[in-house]
Amino acid sequence: MRVPLSWLREYVDLPAGETGRDVQAKLVDAGLEVERVEQLGAGLKGPLVVGQVLTIEELEGFRKPIRFCTVDVGQANGTGEPQEIVCGARNFSVGDKVVVVLPGAVLPGDFAIASRKTYGKTSHGMICSGEELGMGDDGTHGIIVLPPEHEVGTDAIELLQLVDEVLDIAVTPDRGYCLSMRGVARETATAYGLPLRDPALLDVPAPNSYGYLVKIDDPAGCDRFTARTVTALDPEAKSPIWLTRRLQKAGMRPISLAVDVTNYVMLELGQPLHAYDRARLDGAIGVRRAEQGEKFTTLDGVKRTLDAEDLVITDNSGPIGLAGVMGGANTEIADSVTDPETGAVTGTTDVVIEAAHFDALTISRSARRHKLASEASKRFERGVDPQAASAAAQRTVDLLVLLAGGTAEAGVTELTAPGAPRTIAMRADHPDRVAGMDYGRETVVRRLQEVGCDVYGQDELVVTVPSWRPDLAEPNDLAEEVIRLEGYGNLPSTLPKLPSGRGLTARQQLHRRVGRALAGAGYVEALNYPFVGEGVFDQLQLPAHDAARQVVKLVNPLSDEEPALRTTLLPGLLGALRRNDSRGSHDLALFETGSVFRAGPRPGFAVRLPVDRRPTAEEIATLNAALPAQPRYAAVVLAGAREQAGWWGKGRPADWADAVQAARSLAAEAGAELLVRQGQYGPWHPGRCAELIVTLDGVETVIGHAGELHPRVVKAMGLPARTSAMELDLDRLAAAGGGVVEAPRISTFPVATQDVALIVDASVPAADVETALRKGAGELLESLRLFDVFTGEQVGEGKKSLAYALRFRAPDRTLTAEESTAARDAAVALAGERTGAVLRGA
């Protein structure tokens, strides 16, 4: 919301020397987000005056039309003689009043004006457009043509209100009333402790039976509808300068008088309005839900297909407006047209003014559904004062009568659904308990009354909420109003006292160790949004019944393309890898740790926890039960070179083994024994995919996968070739660990190394052979490493040779050759028993 300071002063008598910066500081203290104060006309210096065009000479021989004009500027040039000016614009004629800047002046942007020779003539100044004066576009892209009543030589800086300060306020969704001058003025008056001149306090005639006929079929969607009629408008009437300038300063473009007036009143009172050309209306105005698939063309010329949930304004011909969003082209106010032969001017002369109140949720969904955000929908979806509708209609009628010479018809239509003021019961000390400081009952009552509430009671207050504050719904909302008006800066800065000796939980410690381990291994952490679109599961080739497809959808997502919470970390990480690769970073190793969200069997409903006391265990348990399961996962993705080439060697590309090794590193941090087997799942290549297995409660459980991604997944997601990835359930990995990870003991006795080469069927997983060797070797085995895999004629068709290095060590003695050999033989024997392995060469 852009708020001109000159306009704000009409409603609040600010101190004479108060600047926009001063007002900004006050409003920020009151809780409004005033992002900046724009200085209009900064650096502007006259003379800038009203002039009248006396003659126009068309200059020939140039690539574009050029005109040499003489302009009467009165005594502003010190001589009273006509001013000679060269101009390329063509939207003015002899006799028109224009804005002239004379030599010695400085326009916005430090543009100094001087006499200069151009196109064979000397131009003593310039005839100005709105853009050159920093006024913005008025739709003509041409010279400013002023109404004829302004005298020659008048100071145009004051006439056009070129010097002002504009507060740019970012209005949060709960402060919809501040999308109006009335709302910001109320906040300003409260902040300064000054009285407010409420522009909505108007004398409004009572509704009667001979107003324009309106029928409401959906009172839940429209609980109030006011209609007024103005006739005999002058189609040639233009918006006065003060009106157009206020619209421009507020960020709106002037269009026509009737439209400008409705926009002006909307900015002033916060009530969106719409003006219909009565000659184009066919019968009574109606309000109903649209029929599914019904067609309708909006003011922007777009033909839209309506949804059954859309609320529409109708007449006998069908929809004439998408309620609360945008009007229809079929009842648009007609521009004035002059007949070239007779000179008669035709246009809209009779209008019907609509001032209605619509359901916020309905308007919000319609605007999103049709991707049609408008100034009206922005206000309705944040909450509009229903009591302001009749005042806004009256204000619009008054301005049209004043500025266009119209006549207000006596008929007043006002349909309202029955309702009662909202009341909230609150203890008088509730704000004290929320803020942690003592305000006292008198302060609480005074601040609530300043907001517009009616307050009754002593220790137990009954608060009647004003109609313009739909965001005030419970005691905590009222407490917030007291706290912000008393000043957030006055809240005590008392740190909570934490019990000593607790520190991080085991889960938090593991999370940090995992991050340090991956960072130490050369991975870069990438933090991604936890939102996904369901189409990504097709790209990952997940089967239709996969649990990862059971997503939790958001009611109000940030993006319609990603409306669900993630069930895997891979989409975000792979997206980050793709973006970095497209920007020239081809050697990538990224990791992320974070929560994924698993939908429960039935959706729960979360309770709202109190803020003035600690929630009970039952309240917290109820909240947790309503939330989806949120296990913590860890994932890595790799592409390009894992080791760079240089004088030290050729380097090597990242591959599936690096992804598996990342999983082993995490298992070591958790103190868990990780079993790696060949597997097949979703996005991974079926021949280069490993299952990551741990033992939980005596049962082997798959907690993740690692390996190279399937080529189809790589193509569908636009990834570099041979991209590898790993993802595992960090919580289950921690559960499989032994709790506190003990540092290994370093023995003072020497190691005994034994190498074995075993021949097994090609279908036997190396992990099964390794498991058998570990089991058979017993407690003397310190480590086991696969260092060679060989296939060929020497081992036979359908066979493979697996070579392992076994390290044996005893903690209390030096092993003899017989002991290490016996342990090796026992390992080989068990491997042969379980997997059919035989020693190579035996």
Side-chain angles (χ1 to χ4, degrees), residues 54 70-84 102 152:
L54 300 178
T70 59
V71 184
D72 178 10
V73 294
Q75 297 298 319
N77 57 5
T79 64
E81 296 294 325
Q83 199 80 2
E84 296 180 338
L102 301 177
V152 169

Side-chain angles (χ1 to χ4, degrees), residues 173 360-361 363-365 367-368 376-383:
L361 187 59
I363 302 308
S364 177
R365 287 176 175 173
R368 283 174 173 265
S377 67
K378 183 166 63 175
R379 286 164 172 80
F380 276 122
E381 65 190 14
R382 287 165 172 79

Side-chain angles (χ1 to χ4, degrees), residues 572-633:
L573 268 181
L574 293 174
L577 184 141
R578 179 179 61 249
R579 285 192 299 274
N580 283 276
D581 179 74
S582 68
R583 294 169 185 174
S585 298
H586 304 301
D587 303 324
L588 297 163
L590 309 177
F591 84 92
E592 182 176 10
T593 59
S595 296
V596 299
F597 304 85
R598 300 288 186 178
R602 291 182 300 175
F605 295 93
V607 298
R608 300 187 69 177
L609 298 181
V611 297
D612 58 335
R613 60 174 174 81
R614 176 181 173 80
T616 64
E618 291 77 12
E619 289 172 330
I620 295 176
T622 303
L623 177 64
N624 289 334
L627 298 177
Q630 301 178 44
R632 186 176 292 276
Y633 273 39

Side-chain angles (χ1 to χ4, degrees), residues 39 43 55 62 100 132 180 222 233 239 328 346 355 448 453 497 510 554 609 652 693 701 792 813:
Q39 305 290 334
T55 64
F62 300 103
V100 179
E132 290 165 339
S180 67
C222 176
L233 296 175
S239 299
T346 60
L448 292 179
C453 299
K497 295 181 179 179
L510 175 61
L554 301 174
L609 298 181
R652 69 173 183 84
I693 302 170
T701 304
R813 68 188 187 281

Side-chain angles (χ1 to χ4, degrees), residues 228-291:
R228 301 288 299 276
T229 303
V230 182
T231 60
L233 296 175
D234 180 4
E236 290 187 278
K238 305 294 184 182
S239 299
I241 291 175
W242 65 266
L243 178 58
T244 59
R245 287 299 292 136
R246 286 190 171 179
L247 290 176
Q248 288 173 330
K249 291 177 186 179
M252 302 188 76
R253 182 170 65 87
I255 298 173
S256 65
L257 177 59
V259 176
D260 291 349
V261 166
T262 57
N263 285 336
Y264 178 83
V265 175
M266 178 185 67
L267 291 173
E268 184 178 50
L269 301 182
Q271 168 66 54
L273 302 109
H274 191 73
Y276 300 96
D277 187 335
R278 192 169 74 166
R280 296 186 177 188
L281 287 174
D282 182 8
I285 292 176
V287 183
R288 61 168 172 84
R289 297 286 172 170
E291 297 176 5

